[in-house]
Amino acid sequence: MTDLPGSTQSAPAEPTVPAHRPPPPGPEPAPESAPGPPSASASVPASAGTTPPKEADSATADSLTADSDSGRGAYLSNRFLARAALLTALLTAAGALLGLVRDQTIAHLYGAGPGTDAFLVAWTVPEVASTLLIEDAMALILVPAFSLALARRAAREPLPAGSPPDGTSGRDPVHALLRTTLPTLLLALSAGAVLLMLAAPWVVALLAPGLPDTRLAVDCTRLTATCAFSFGIAGYCSAALRAHGSFVPPAMIYVAYNIGIIATMLVLSDRLGVRAAAAGVAVGGCLMVLVQAPVVLRRLRERRATAERTAPEPSGEQPGGAGRPLVALGLLAPVIVFALTRQSQVLIERFLAAPLPAGAISHLNYAQKVAQMPMVLSLMLCTVTFPVVARAMAAGDTDRARRRVERDLALAGVIVLVGAATVVACAPQIIEILFQRGAFDRADTAATAAVMRVYALGLLGHTLVGALVRCYFSAARPLWFPALAMLLGLALTTAGGALLVGTWGVLGIAAGNALGITVTAVLLLHGVARHSVPVRVRHMTGGLVKLSAAAAAATGAGWLCGALIPAPLPGAAVACLVVAAVFLVIARAVQAPEIDSLVRSVTGRFANVR
């Protein structure tokens, strides 16, 4: 599907789609039939527009402003993407920190006993709903669909005053998409929420057989079932806004969500016990919708007509292909199967942990929440650039898509590996600082820290899966390869956890998770060039191996330094600094190209500021 270029979108309320667009320098851009990416950079001669960059020039290639695209409209500029990614990362970090405060509040009020285990079984519902309705399936389907509708709107001739929004059919493509998808979605979400409430006893029995307090878990599950509706509406709004180039309101949803949970627990905990946390999920889901709804309504009311028609796609069709459906039905099944399979890892873990001593599910939950923070931050840029990759692939500009994907994978790999090294090096200090208070005692800290270190071994795999799946689903054709790879990974997670839980207990479950997701990541990386974006797999694999070696060395150094300082906060701070310094030194020593590119990019930005 064709994604909307920046110039055809309504400017977001946050960073604006560049009104500062400079004219392309030098001679006129190459015609549409010319091979290679169009020339649009002030730093690259126009004559070089048809030559793919060398590996050593990846940073320069990525610095293309990409504001002029040979008449096809503009891609989102790198300056806009950088601002959007920064704001998204800051708000996501704020949401993650509030998530930690939420978990700290749960640990303080309820500890890591049977009550918390019962709530965490019910917590499975919002976790699955978040993956399916906000993060993966809804975004992978609807961001390209809304982008295609916006591109069709932008491809029309300028409209005379008083004419209908679509000069050909009298129907605006964006509103047509709303009319065909939103009513059906509302009906399906309502039915799903009601069905979950009615089936709560069977859901609990399926998720956690042998759980001591099943009645409490059923009550919590019925409260959290409301998110099946609210998360779906929030995910729909997020997809529409991202396609319009507005990234800040979608990034605010987890800030609002966690505020709702924390406030509800503090107000109702004495009266409802752990059920207050489940009620907070319902409140937080409503707040997710409310922070986006005003912006969505304003965006969808806007009627933008471009000053000139965009040029035909290489295939000779108008952008977006007027004859293609806005939502390819064949794409739904593989996306949904992939999303559900990925989230099923959590279900398998809790299923295997349910017969273990009380607190095992809680230790898994706290460890996973903290360990995944580096992964969440590393995927922010991929979230922002997903529309750019989708549009480049739809336009046949595979070289631009390749450069963007390789750059994103490199940056995500650096962030998550530094984070994973930090997590492994000072896990006990981190857990003690964050959770060891109230009912959460020193034994809980030791158990959670051990699980977190094992989880961290799979963080690179989780990040690669999250980044690469956007490549596979950026085109308007169904691809089953990611779902099949994820199914194989889930099978390994299940088999590994079942085999190791008898010997290692909860650590064996975490090890099975790391094994399954790593195998999935390897399969997706080595299949992406054949099935989707023509990434240089050998080049990327070599770079990731070098970064992993640097992370291993940094882990050992940070672990040693943290152990020499008994106080948790100073020990963790010193370990973090040592990890970052050693990682940078080793990565540059082994000539990891991603590090050199990032350093040049950062130093260049500081030079521009001066």
Side-chain angles (χ1 to χ4, degrees):
M1 296 182 183
T2 303
D3 255 70
L4 181 66
S7 62
T8 62
Q9 298 176 14
S10 55
E14 320 77 39
T16 57
V17 176
H20 56 275
R21 180 180 300 115
E28 291 294 321
E32 289 294 316
S33 58
S39 174
S41 173
S43 61
V44 179
S47 60
T50 59
T51 304
K54 297 180 181 179
E55 292 181 12
D57 297 331
S58 60
T60 303
D62 192 63
S63 68
L64 292 169
T65 57
D67 288 332
S68 174
D69 193 25
S70 303
R72 289 201 301 259
Y75 287 95
L76 296 175
S77 72
N78 276 3
R79 184 178 299 180
F80 171 81
L81 291 174
R83 287 204 306 268
L86 176 61
L87 289 171
T88 301
L90 290 175
L91 286 170
T92 301
L97 289 174
L98 284 170
L100 284 177
V101 174
R102 175 202 67 209
D103 292 341
Q104 288 174 332
T105 305
I106 293 173
H108 178 74
L109 294 174
Y110 315 117
T116 307
D117 285 354
F119 166 71
L120 290 176
V121 171
W123 182 261
T124 305
V125 175
E127 284 182 323
V128 174
S130 175
T131 298
L132 186 61
L133 300 177
I134 299 177
E135 301 300 336
D136 284 345
M138 189 77 78
L140 292 171
I141 292 168
L142 285 179
V143 168
F146 271 106
S147 297
L148 177 57
L150 287 163
R152 289 182 180 177
R153 173 195 283 178
R156 307 295 182 184
E157 292 284 2
L159 302 178
S163 65
D166 183 358
T168 302
S169 64
R171 298 183 67 193
D172 176 67
V174 176
H175 287 240
L177 177 61
L178 284 170
R179 285 191 294 269
T180 57
T181 58
L182 188 55
T184 303
L185 180 67
L186 290 173
L187 182 61
L189 293 174
S190 302
V194 171
L195 182 62
L196 272 175
M197 293 179 184
L198 295 175
W202 294 276
V203 171
V204 170
L206 178 65
L207 293 177
L211 192 71
D213 195 345
T214 56
R215 180 168 183 175
L216 179 59
V218 168
D219 291 344
C220 291
T221 300
R222 284 177 172 150
L223 287 167
T224 59
T226 57
C227 70
F229 180 83
S230 59
F231 281 22
I233 303 303
Y236 194 94
C237 293
S238 296
L241 288 173
R242 286 169 181 163
H244 279 79
S246 183
F247 296 96
V248 169
M252 292 177 61
I253 60 176
Y254 289 110
V255 174
Y257 176 62
N258 287 316
I259 287 175
I261 296 176
I262 294 167
T264 305
M265 283 193 295
L266 293 177
V267 172
L268 299 178
S269 180
D270 291 340
R271 192 178 310 170
L272 299 180
V274 77
R275 293 177 179 86
V281 172
V283 174
C286 295
L287 294 179
M288 280 182 162
V289 178
L290 292 178
V291 297
Q292 299 183 97
V295 185
V296 171
L297 293 175
R298 185 168 71 250
R299 290 285 181 269
L300 295 179
R301 282 198 299 263
E302 293 173 351
R303 308 275 190 175
R304 288 298 181 105
T306 56
E308 59 183 6
R309 279 188 182 273
T310 54
E313 297 291 340
S315 63
E317 298 178 359
Q318 290 297 330
R324 291 188 302 179
L326 289 166
V327 178
L329 295 179
L331 187 63
L332 299 180
V335 172
I336 292 174
V337 170
F338 170 84
L340 287 176
T341 305
R342 187 180 182 190
Q343 188 57 42
S344 294
Q345 289 185 313
V346 177
L347 308 183
I348 294 299
E349 291 172 17
R350 289 179 182 169
F351 180 87
L352 294 174
L356 296 178
I361 296 178
S362 300
H363 298 149
L364 282 168
N365 173 74
Y366 294 131
Q368 189 179 63
K369 291 293 190 299
V370 178
Q372 286 186 349
M373 287 186 65
M375 178 201 72
V376 172
L377 294 176
S378 68
L379 288 176
M380 284 304 97
L381 182 61
C382 301
T383 299
V384 171
T385 59
F386 176 39
V388 178
V389 176
R391 181 176 183 269
M393 290 298 293
D397 195 350
T398 56
D399 194 64
R400 183 188 294 274
R402 177 189 62 78
R403 293 198 308 269
R404 181 74 262 172
V405 170
E406 288 181 356
R407 181 74 169 175
D408 291 351
L409 288 175
L411 179 59
V414 170
I415 294 172
V416 76
L417 285 171
V418 171
T422 303
V423 165
V424 175
C426 47
Q429 295 95 322
I430 293 173
I431 298 300
E432 182 175 350
I433 294 169
L434 294 178
F435 297 115
Q436 190 174 308
R437 57 185 60 85
F440 197 96
D441 58 22
R442 185 170 296 277
D444 292 322
T445 294
T448 304
V451 175
M452 191 167 74
R453 279 174 165 160
V454 179
Y455 262 134
L457 301 179
L459 283 181
L460 179 59
H462 281 287
T463 297
L464 291 178
V465 169
L468 289 169
V469 73
R470 289 168 170 82
C471 302
Y472 283 94
F473 294 122
S474 61
R477 65 181 190 275
L479 289 173
W480 280 97
F481 183 77
L484 296 176
M486 197 69 240
L487 282 169
L488 177 59
L490 180 64
L492 291 175
T493 296
T494 305
L499 289 174
L500 296 175
V501 69
T503 304
W504 293 351
V506 71
L507 297 181
I509 299 174
N513 176 287
L515 172 64
I517 200 65
T518 301
V519 170
T520 302
V522 170
L523 291 174
L524 291 181
L525 179 60
H526 286 272
V528 68
R530 183 171 65 256
H531 295 283
S532 181
V533 181
V535 171
R536 296 170 295 174
V537 175
R538 183 173 298 180
H539 170 71
M540 290 307 305
T541 302
L544 291 171
V545 168
K546 292 177 181 179
L547 291 172
S548 299
T555 301
W559 195 329
L560 178 62
C561 292
L564 295 176
I565 302 175
L569 186 57
V574 170
C576 289
L577 293 175
V578 170
V579 164
V582 173
F583 179 88
L584 180 61
V585 170
I586 299 298
R588 299 200 73 180
V590 298
Q591 298 180 341
E594 294 81 4
I595 292 294
D596 291 336
S597 300
L598 290 171
V599 170
R600 286 198 301 268
S601 177
V602 172
T603 55
R605 283 182 171 83
F606 278 117
N608 291 334
V609 171
R610 291 197 299 269

